[in-house]
Amino acid sequence: MSNTPDNRSSAEASPGDAEEQHDAKELLAEGVDEEVIESNRRLFTGWQWALFGGLAVAYSLFHLITLNVLPMETWSYRVIHIAGALILGYGLYTGGRFASDGRQAAPKWQTVLSALLLLPALYALLQTFLMWRTIEGGAMRIEPHIEAWHYGYPLILATAAAIVMSWLYRQVREKCALPDLVLMVCALASAGYFLVIYNTPLRMSTGTSFAPMGISYAAIAGSLLILEMTRRVTGNALVIISLVFLLYVWGGPYLPGFLGYPGLSVGRFFSQVYTDAGILGPTTAVSSTYIILFIIFAAFLQASKVGDYFVNFAFAAAGRARGGPAKVSIFASGLMGMINGTSAGNVVSTGSLTIPLMKKVGYPARSAGAIEAAASSGGQIMPPIMGAGAFIMAEITGIPYREIAVAALIPAALYFLSVYCMVDFEAARKGMRGMRKDEIPQFRRLVKQVYLFAPIIILIAALFMGYSVIRAGTLATASAAVVSWLSPHKMGIRSILKALQLAGTMSIQIIVVCACAGLIVGVISLTGVGARFSSLLLGLAGVSQLLALFFAMCISILLGMGMPTTAAYAVAASVVAPGLIGIGIQPLVAHFFVFYFAVMSAITPPVALAAYAASGISGANAMETSTTSFKIGLAAFIVPFMFFYSPAILMEGSGLQILRVAVTATIGVVMLAAAVQAWYFGAVKAWQRLLLLAGAICMIYGGIYT
């Protein structure tokens, strides 16, 4: 990916270059940083490639400039943030299947109908411009019949019909489809109306009977666009959960018991859901600031091939230990987890290399996939970045991100220690070997490139020096470009543009997921269902606090199944965390409890996205892989209960308390791994495993008596 040509002949190459070329040949990991192309992703050529590449670069630059140089009004910025992701997303991802050749392309009637749908979409877009002129001319509001007949109905018709048409329409992979062009225009028309109205006093009327119906029309179209884009990039799980919550808005008044509520009209609900009470709320606040910035940071790291270096460094450090590739998987996934914010994404980027190597040294296919899934899920709880969930936690709780990152240190270390021991004991029990010296990169050579860790160190240092997260992230991004000039993959102008284009593309999934999660959060806040769950937890706590925590765990895992971590945590934080706080648990403890189970839903059967991704690489049965990954990641299902019983594990307490809990918990997770793997300085019998399990639970709690 280097863009600085070297015109020297081979005869002029220095001895250092020859050594560098030798290093490159002996490296094991290559292509870890390559962009993953999904099966429904378009691969443009010619002017369309240039157009959408330019849009992605412009989208990334817009965020960098707005966050650091020219700030915008908050709601307007968030509206553009979502609209930009939708326009890019509908350009890059198809709603159905690609035609394998030109003869299987869409029939003529679909092309004609899609072209006709452009007319109401363009008419609605024209009306947003005319309404802006009307408001600029001094009018206090828009005539209701204009909002309905000239804007709302054409927009909703074009949006709904184009979504259905996009499921049927077949197009070659190199071209944008007509229904998706209609949806891009609809995204512009919806966002345009919000930008017009939200910059007038009419913004204050949202959620009341005085709100213009145009807000509801734009919100209905916007919600449909978000749901369809979510389906394209993450599958059906989050969309189905969102639709269940939306049905609750109108079905809730007819439900018995604590689920019932007075009810909301369509107009009142949609006039408020596309505000900071819902879609433009905490989830989008985070995706439009911290998340987009760290995606740009990750893209710059990828452009300088840091991912390859991280994996090779892990091979050099742990490859020769027994069961070496499995231990490499743990280290590499922890390191990659700092720059890759999804469990399944971690599995795909590192697992394609480590899983075949694990099978080669003797791990069964299901164990190889399970180890990678468990380690990759741990990347989400690894400071300093911790995936997007930590930023949402900071936004919701008001606790500084720096404190959250510090609090996460001991639990993350315990989790990775537990997974490491699980792997080591299994390797010992099965008599596995490590990798040979000639199969792994030389550590002394990799140490020469240790400066590639500099951007991560600069990020951590800037955060602890008191810089804002945005300023720290920007400094780290700039340092990634500077540091690349010391490596073989120097970043020139073309590489920087490529990184910005990659960031714009990578951001689509997480931004749309956050917007969809915002829709669910809006339902929860506007219907008050979260408060009713809180009262239910309060009632359970009257019987037993442990029972209330167990119920909270089950709800968090259930809400997170099949969903990306960010959305899983955002929803669970709205439904479960307030109830935990209501029964007297500290906000930091309550949110960490929910966060851990939202993350671990990725390896919890029956719906375990990370385990399913790993099984696809290993060739093992998906359900067996998810069951085994649950067993390997077992510590993560026990440690959150420690947050309640021993808050010192989150750095809440005196130095002596923190040290005691850290030491006892460390011994506890080692004994837990021994009990699960039936190995502790040798094979152990059934009664010894029970004793180890009992001892592990006692040591994990770490009180004086236990």
Side-chain angles (χ1 to χ4, degrees):
M1 203 178 282
S2 174
N3 289 285
T4 52
D6 191 346
N7 297 319
R8 294 177 298 171
S9 68
S10 58
E12 294 173 272
S14 68
D17 291 334
E19 186 179 335
E20 195 173 83
Q21 287 168 7
H22 176 71
D23 287 356
K25 284 180 184 176
E26 74 160 16
L27 293 182
L28 193 60
E30 287 186 286
V32 170
D33 285 311
E34 295 302 317
E35 187 181 2
V36 177
I37 306 295
E38 297 87 346
S39 60
N40 67 331
R41 168 91 170 271
R42 292 190 174 93
L43 299 174
F44 291 120
T45 56
W47 67 268
Q48 291 193 12
W49 174 84
L51 173 64
F52 282 98
L55 284 174
V57 170
Y59 187 65
S60 297
L61 281 174
F62 162 75
H63 287 93
L64 280 175
I65 292 167
T66 306
L67 290 172
N68 290 285
V69 183
L70 299 171
M72 281 183 71
E73 194 279 323
T74 304
W75 281 20
S76 298
Y77 172 63
R78 293 177 190 174
V79 166
I80 294 170
H81 168 75
I82 294 172
L86 290 173
I87 291 166
L88 266 179
Y90 282 113
L92 292 174
Y93 293 90
T94 184
R97 293 191 304 274
F98 290 115
S100 57
D101 57 58
R103 288 175 297 176
Q104 293 181 353
K108 192 171 182 179
W109 71 268
Q110 290 184 3
T111 304
V112 171
L113 184 56
S114 300
L116 288 174
L117 287 174
L118 259 178
L119 297 177
L122 288 169
Y123 185 68
L125 182 60
L126 173 65
Q127 288 301 318
T128 60
F129 174 74
L130 296 176
M131 285 187 274
W132 173 70
R133 292 288 299 271
T134 303
I135 295 286
E136 286 291 295
M140 294 300 292
R141 64 184 299 142
I142 310 297
E143 291 294 328
H145 74 277
I146 292 176
E147 287 185 321
W149 292 100
H150 295 270
Y151 172 74
Y153 297 155
L155 176 62
I156 293 171
L157 169 69
T159 302
I163 286 172
V164 174
M165 188 58 65
S166 73
W167 300 340
L168 308 173
Y169 201 87
R170 295 284 175 273
Q171 181 61 279
V172 292
R173 197 165 188 174
E174 295 77 24
K175 292 182 181 178
C176 187
L178 263 175
D180 292 329
L181 180 61
V182 176
L183 293 171
M184 285 186 259
V185 174
C186 291
L188 269 176
S190 174
Y193 181 88
F194 287 130
L195 291 173
V196 170
I197 297 300
Y198 285 166
N199 285 288
T200 71
L202 289 171
R203 163 172 159 170
M204 305 302 294
S205 67
T206 55
T208 70
S209 55
F210 301 102
M213 272 304 290
I215 296 178
S216 298
Y217 298 134
I220 290 169
S223 299
L224 287 172
L225 289 165
I226 288 166
L227 287 168
E228 169 59 12
M229 195 66 241
T230 303
R231 185 192 68 80
R232 294 187 186 192
V233 295
T234 67
N236 293 325
L238 181 54
V239 176
I240 291 168
I241 292 169
S242 302
L243 290 174
V244 168
F245 274 92
L246 283 172
L247 287 172
Y248 175 73
V249 174
W250 297 286
Y254 306 103
L255 293 177
F258 80 100
L259 285 173
Y261 86 105
L264 285 168
S265 67
V266 173
R268 188 174 172 194
F269 172 75
F270 278 107
S271 74
Q272 201 167 0
V273 79
Y274 219 109
T275 68
D276 59 4
I279 292 169
L280 302 183
T283 54
T284 298
V286 173
S287 75
S288 63
T289 50
Y290 308 140
I291 293 175
I292 186 69
L293 193 61
F294 279 96
I295 287 173
I296 294 170
F297 175 50
F300 270 73
L301 289 180
Q302 283 188 229
S304 53
K305 296 290 182 184
V306 168
D308 285 354
Y309 177 74
F310 279 177
V311 177
N312 283 312
F313 190 88
F315 268 109
R320 297 194 66 189
R322 61 188 178 198
K327 291 171 181 174
V328 168
S329 170
I330 297 166
F331 287 119
S333 296
L335 292 170
M336 286 292 287
M338 292 190 288
I339 63 170
N340 186 339
T342 64
S343 302
N346 256 358
V347 169
V348 172
S349 59
T350 59
S352 55
L353 180 68
T354 58
I355 289 173
L357 288 170
M358 281 189 258
K359 290 167 72 177
K360 185 179 174 183
V361 299
Y363 282 98
R366 70 173 184 276
S367 289
I371 290 164
E372 179 59 47
S376 292
S377 297
Q380 297 283 278
I381 58 176
M382 171 67 80
I385 297 177
M386 296 171 63
F391 300 123
I392 295 179
M393 193 188 299
E395 183 74 21
I396 292 173
T397 61
I399 298 168
Y401 168 76
R402 182 175 56 187
E403 289 182 26
I404 289 171
V406 169
L409 281 172
I410 296 176
L414 289 174
Y415 177 77
F416 279 101
L417 173 66
S418 170
V419 175
Y420 183 92
C421 290
M422 293 272 188
V423 164
D424 186 58
F425 293 158
E426 184 176 1
R429 180 164 50 85
K430 293 182 176 178
M432 295 179 192
R433 66 170 181 89
M435 298 175 75
R436 295 192 310 272
K437 187 176 181 180
D438 62 340
E439 290 180 318
I440 60 174
Q442 292 185 23
F443 192 79
R444 63 183 179 81
R445 293 184 186 277
L446 286 171
V447 166
K448 294 177 183 176
Q449 284 187 277
V450 76
Y451 53 78
L452 287 172
F453 281 103
I456 304 290
I457 294 167
I458 287 169
L459 170 67
I460 297 168
L463 286 170
F464 281 88
M465 286 168 64
Y467 286 90
S468 69
V469 175
I470 290 171
R471 186 55 51 86
T474 305
L475 286 172
T477 303
S479 70
V482 173
V483 164
S484 75
W485 280 84
L486 303 173
S487 77
H489 304 284
K490 300 174 178 64
M491 291 185 71
I493 296 297
R494 286 181 64 187
S495 281
I496 289 172
L497 289 175
K498 175 65 180 172
L500 290 169
Q501 181 264 327
L502 180 62
T505 306
M506 285 166 56
S507 66
I508 293 168
Q509 182 187 47
I510 196 74
I511 290 167
V512 172
V513 161
C514 284
C516 193
L519 185 63
I520 297 171
V521 170
V523 173
I524 292 166
S525 62
L526 296 175
T527 61
V529 69
R532 283 184 283 283
F533 267 104
S534 298
S535 65
L536 182 64
L537 282 179
L538 198 61
L540 284 171
V543 179
S544 164
Q545 283 196 317
L546 181 61
L547 184 64
L549 288 171
F550 180 78
F551 181 75
M553 175 190 78
C554 293
I555 295 292
S556 300
I557 292 172
L558 191 65
L559 289 172
M561 281 186 177
M563 291 170 64
T565 307
T566 314
Y569 168 65
V571 175
S574 299
V575 176
V576 181
L580 294 178
I581 293 167
I583 64 175
I585 297 174
Q586 298 173 42
L588 181 67
V589 173
H591 280 271
F592 256 102
F593 184 91
V594 167
F595 177 59
Y596 259 61
F597 288 119
V599 168
M600 288 306 135
S601 65
I603 58 168
T604 307
V607 184
L609 289 184
Y612 289 177
S615 68
I617 299 170
S618 69
N621 177 275
M623 191 55 66
E624 285 182 0
T625 304
S626 62
T627 305
T628 309
S629 64
F630 173 80
K631 183 178 77 172
I632 290 169
L634 192 59
F637 295 88
I638 297 173
V639 167
F641 288 92
M642 294 172 63
F643 301 158
F644 174 67
Y645 290 107
S646 304
I649 202 167
L650 294 175
M651 304 287 190
E652 298 275 310
S654 66
L656 195 61
Q657 286 175 317
I658 293 168
L659 180 64
R660 175 180 60 80
V661 169
V663 170
T664 56
T666 298
I667 298 168
V669 296
V670 173
M671 292 169 72
L672 179 68
V676 170
Q677 296 291 10
W679 185 273
Y680 199 49
F681 302 110
V684 296
K685 296 173 184 174
W687 68 269
Q688 292 171 316
R689 290 178 74 180
L690 285 172
L691 206 60
L692 281 167
L693 182 62
I697 292 168
C698 288
M699 291 300 285
I700 284 174
Y701 174 47
I704 293 170
Y705 296 110
T706 54

